[in-house]
Amino acid sequence: MRIGIVTGASSGLGRAYARQIDKTMKLDELWLVARREDRLNRLAEELNVRCRIFPLDLTRRESTEELRGALEEEQARVEILICAAGFGKFGRAEDLTAAETDDMISLNCRAAVELTRVCLPYLDRGSRVLEVCSCAGFQPLPGMNLYAATKAFLLRYTRALRWELAGRGILVSAVCPYWIKTEFMEVARNTSHPEAVRHTPFAVRPESVAAWSMSMNRLGLAVITGGPIPLAMRLGSKLLPSCVPMAVWEGMRRM
Ligand SMILES: NC(=O)c1ccc[n+]([C@@H]2O[C@H](COP(=O)([O-])OP(=O)(O)OC[C@H]3O[C@@H](n4cnc5c(N)ncnc54)[C@H](OP(=O)(O)O)[C@@H]3O)[C@@H](O)[C@H]2O)c1
């Protein structure tokens, strides 16, 4: 059975990926993963492809185990894996609670890596993996420190994974967008210091990020930025000492 797996499918970018897969790929089943079951059911009803719902909290280790069990049972071939589940919190490291800190690392880093590991035996030549990182991962970001650090981790992991899987003909990309119009901001502002980042200008639509990044992944791009701002951030982080982008960001986030 040829399947696709999308985490974070109940909202924003993950949901846009599910719709894009439905439009552009031929699969036997699309597996949708997130905590909000009602949202996943609604999406499944809307899509043409047969969907299987996994209402799972990916911060819990048992969740990836459940997915591993389903893969084994179906002996599925994973045509596309998209790890889009993730969240950020505005605020300095000291503003975040222990639970926020733990969950962010657990979801943005551990869950993405663990689900990818579980899927590895089920990927084959031509399979595709998109790990949703962020341009926040290009440089350290005071006031959004932990989130940026989790995305830097995922970006490094994804780049090396691409090399490791190249011999098997598997296309792996790190997707590093700028602000996107999703529920991300609402979640990020629900913290003790929501004003740590005052504005999120020039946000783009999740549909365009999903469509663009899936096309660029097909072309084999390692890191997909998709726009002049994240591209400039990427180049800046390569060419300048980290204190320069950090100083620019410090000014921007307070405006
Ligand atoms: N929006 C931006 O500006 C932006 C920019 C760059 C990168 N990104 C990245 O893009 C990805 C998608 O975010 P988004 O912008 O689409 O935000 P979003 O609308 O808030 O979606 C986040 C998704 O993650 C899921 N999720 C959150 N906690 C989870 C958990 N414990 N277990 C399972 N699923 C969980 C949510 O589903 P449930 O709540 O139903 O579980 C939701 O489907 C994230 O990795 C984010 O870091 C976002």
Side-chain angles (χ1 to χ4, degrees):
M1 182 165 66
R2 293 157 64 244
I3 66 156
I5 303 179
V6 180
T7 72
S10 63
S11 167
L13 190 53
R15 187 168 52 194
Y17 274 124
R19 287 176 176 147
Q20 187 66 18
I21 289 172
D22 189 44
K23 263 201 285 187
T24 59
M25 294 181 73
K26 288 259 170 295
L27 298 173
D28 297 313
E29 251 179 35
L30 182 58
W31 293 8
L32 305 173
V33 187
R35 290 167 302 180
R36 286 171 287 181
E37 190 173 3
D38 53 331
R39 295 262 196 118
L40 295 180
N41 277 322
R42 247 181 286 151
L43 179 62
E45 277 166 25
E46 170 200 322
L47 302 182
N48 296 309
V49 63
R50 190 171 72 225
C51 292
R52 185 160 165 186
I53 301 301
F54 290 88
L56 298 172
D57 180 346
L58 289 171
T59 62
R60 297 166 66 94
R61 284 175 188 273
E62 314 84 83
S63 298
T64 30
E65 190 46 38
E66 189 172 328
L67 286 159
R68 194 198 59 73
L71 284 166
E72 193 177 7
E73 201 179 302
E74 300 293 348
Q75 280 305 302
R77 173 190 149 119
V78 179
E79 294 282 333
I80 186 160
L81 166 66
I82 302 187
C83 294
F87 76 94
K89 290 282 174 190
F90 295 156
R92 297 161 300 181
E94 69 187 43
D95 298 323
L96 304 188
T97 64
E100 286 169 339
T101 304
D102 210 43
D103 285 354
M104 210 189 302
I105 296 170
S106 188
L107 183 64
N108 296 3
C109 302
R110 192 199 53 74
V113 168
E114 181 54 11
L115 178 57
T116 306
R117 190 189 68 79
V118 156
C119 287
L120 288 178
Y122 302 96
L123 300 171
D124 212 341
R125 184 161 290 279
S127 292
R128 302 161 64 183
V129 178
L130 285 85
E131 304 283 356
V132 179
C133 308
S134 167
C135 61
F138 292 146
Q139 65 290 294
L141 293 181
M144 211 177 161
N145 179 0
L146 183 63
Y147 177 71
T150 63
K151 294 300 182 178
F153 168 90
L154 194 58
L155 173 58
R156 286 296 176 100
Y157 166 81
T158 306
R159 295 212 63 157
L161 184 74
R162 179 171 180 270
W163 277 60
E164 290 173 1
L165 298 184
R168 287 175 57 190
I170 296 164
L171 295 171
V172 181
S173 301
V175 183
C176 298
Y178 186 63
W179 300 121
I180 314 169
K181 290 175 195 155
T182 63
E183 293 166 22
F184 179 90
M185 278 41 141
E186 202 181 307
V187 174
R189 290 218 160 88
N190 183 12
T191 155
S192 67
H193 197 181
E195 290 303 304
V197 180
R198 287 177 196 271
H199 301 290
T200 53
F202 309 116
V204 294
R205 291 168 49 248
E207 293 77 18
S208 53
V209 177
W212 171 259
S213 58
M214 279 184 64
S215 305
M216 291 302 108
N217 166 261
R218 200 184 284 280
L219 293 180
L221 239 68
V223 178
I224 300 166
T225 48
I229 300 176
L231 185 62
M233 288 171 76
R234 185 172 177 212
L235 293 177
S237 70
K238 283 184 186 298
L239 301 173
L240 303 167
S242 318
C243 60
V244 177
M246 274 201 284
V248 173
W249 163 254
E250 254 320 84
M252 279 170 51
R253 78 180 179 90
R254 288 159 191 267
M255 276 193 324

